[in-house]
Structures are given as structure tokens and as C-alpha cells.
Amino acid sequence: MKATRLNDIENLLEEQNTLSINHLCEIFNVSKNTIRRDITELEKRGTIKKVYGGIMRNQTNIPEPFAAREIKNKTKKKQLAKLAANLVDDNDIIYIDSGTTTMHMIPYLAEKKNLTILTANVYVINEAFHYPQMNIIATGGTLYRPSNAFVGASVLQFLEGFNISKCFLAATGISIENGATNASPMEGDIKKYLTSNSKTKILLVDSTKIDQVSLVTFAKLKDMDYIISDNKFSSKYNDYFKHNNVHLVTP
């Protein structure tokens, strides 16, 4: 229960930015001493910062705004998106994750037949309007503006009804030690579900994400079937991929 409560507090901070100790006691029906112990643990994680009478998000853990991330390395991201689209077959049921790389897949999927795309990615939903042959299923949920994507428990409940043949995932950073990581716990929960409940897992990461670690780990790199990147990895990574049967796809 404590682990769940800690995660719930982090998720609440994603939505509200600041929370009082009294409010947390009411939400979780626990004593102030219990909440103070939780706050101490979250402070050690670097997730939160204590303020008078409550807590606030640690500003260093706030994700970079979507608009700022979207313009970075756009040519590389489109190149990776094209490589990812090559792994899609006719009649597939795929999930396209939130992120500024995965969102560029849509134009490269235009020739696929009977393709169903599930997504929480607002950009993907909007872009797909230009391709009437695509069957787009949006998850709904609460709009998380730093990623222009929907999040929340309702997204996970929605996804339970579908058999996903391939999921295309994004990450804020990757490393062998910490795996695939993300800055948002709420997005991380969705990515964890997809990793566990999709037949084929494909991770798209440009070279700036390599050896970077963000707030939450949603998968080990060995959980992926394919990793698509613009960079030739070091021998340490190549050995790890070979040992764990992870296929590396590069331009």
C-alpha cells in the first residue's frame, strides 16, 4: 500500500503541482506522521520538494515542453519513424506511443492496408485525419500537455479490450542499467502496460537519449524486440542486444 500511495502522490503532483499535508491526509486517510514519512522518501528520490505545509514538484523533473522537444532533431526523428513504419504489415493492430519521434510515423503508413492504429498521441490523431483509409482509435483520458497525449487510469482500462500486435514506444532516456525511462509517472504506467501486453515491442530513440536516465523506468531494454536509433551503439550495448535477442535497426 505504501508503494502505491507513493506513486499516487507523484501522479497527483503531475496534475496539481502543489499539495498540502492536510489534503494528502484526507485523500489517503492516513496520519500526518505517515504522510511525512512518505514525503521524506519521495524527497530522497528527487521527485518532490518540501514547502511550508506541503510539497511541490521538483522543478528539475518537470518534462521539457512538447513544443521545445518537437523541433529538436526533426530530420533524425522522421528518419527513425520511417524505419519504424517499415516494420508495420497490412492488417496489423498497432499502438503509437506519445513522443516527438513516434508521431512522425503516420505519413509512412499511408500505403498499408486494413491498418488499425490505437493511440493517446494528439498529434497522431490529428495527422491521421489526412488519411481516411486509416482506422484510428483514440484512447481518451486526461490531456497531459507536456507530451500532448492522454493519460490516466481510463487509458489503461481502455487498452485492456484490444489485442495489440505491435507497439511503437518512445523514451526520454535509455541505459543498460536503468532501461527505458520516462519523465512522467502517468505516461510510464501506460508504457509499462504496453510492454507487458503487446506481441512485438519496438522502441524508437535518437542518439541524444542514449545513456540518459529519467524519472521512472517502464521497461528493461531486453524487454524490447526492436530498438530503432540513428546511432551505432558502443560494444557494451551491442553485446547486450545480441545476448538478449534485441534487434537493432539503424539507417
Side-chain angles (χ1 to χ4, degrees), residues 19-32:
L19 292 165
S20 71
I21 289 175
N22 289 337
H23 187 41
L24 288 169
C25 291
E26 290 174 6
I27 292 171
F28 297 104
N29 194 28
V30 295
S31 68
K32 287 186 177 180

Side-chain angles (χ1 to χ4, degrees), residues 198-211:
S198 301
K199 186 175 180 181
T200 303
K201 282 78 69 175
I202 301 153
L203 180 66
L204 286 71
V205 284
D206 64 68
S207 55
T208 63
K209 312 290 179 62
I210 298 170
D211 285 327

Side-chain angles (χ1 to χ4, degrees), residues 51-227:
V51 295
Y52 182 76
I55 58 175
M56 66 180 294
R57 280 192 293 172
N58 187 343
Q59 297 298 310
T60 60
N61 283 322
I62 295 177
E64 187 178 11
F66 180 86
R69 291 185 291 115
E70 195 273 332
I71 61 175
K72 289 182 177 179
N73 305 313
K74 184 175 283 189
T75 300
K76 286 184 179 180
K77 290 174 179 179
K78 288 183 176 181
Q79 190 176 39
L80 301 188
K82 185 176 182 179
L83 290 173
N86 290 337
L87 298 176
V88 178
D89 298 313
D90 294 343
N91 304 308
D92 270 346
I93 301 169
I94 70 171
Y95 186 93
I96 298 181
D97 193 15
S98 60
T100 57
T101 302
T102 49
M103 71 182 200
H104 291 296
M105 289 179 62
I106 290 295
Y108 303 112
L109 297 172
E111 302 302 319
K112 306 297 180 182
K113 296 181 176 63
N114 194 32
L115 178 64
T116 299
I117 301 172
L118 287 84
T119 189
N121 188 324
V122 173
Y123 181 97
V124 168
I125 296 167
N126 289 335
E127 183 68 16
F129 275 114
H130 303 295
Y131 303 93
Q133 73 275 24
M134 292 183 182
N135 181 24
I136 304 295
I137 303 176
T139 65
T142 301
L143 180 61
Y144 180 58
R145 293 188 182 278
S147 293
N148 270 14
F150 294 108
V151 298
S154 62
V155 177
L156 299 176
Q157 293 168 1
F158 176 87
L159 290 174
E160 288 177 359
F162 295 93
N163 298 313
I164 300 170
S165 53
K166 295 166 185 170
C167 69
F168 294 86
L169 296 161
T172 309
I174 65 167
S175 67
I176 291 176
E177 295 75 18
N178 295 93
T181 62
N182 190 261
S184 165
M186 290 186 292
E187 286 192 295
D189 289 343
I190 296 169
K191 295 170 190 283
K192 284 179 184 177
Y193 176 87
L194 290 164
T195 302
S196 299
N197 294 278
S198 301
K199 186 175 180 181
T200 303
K201 282 78 69 175
I202 301 153
L203 180 66
L204 286 71
V205 284
D206 64 68
S207 55
T208 63
K209 312 290 179 62
I210 298 170
D211 285 327
Q212 300 297 315
V213 178
S214 197
L215 182 61
V216 294
T217 295
F218 63 85
K220 296 296 185 183
L221 296 186
K222 65 182 180 181
D223 295 331
M224 299 299 145
D225 296 292
Y226 295 88
I227 291 180

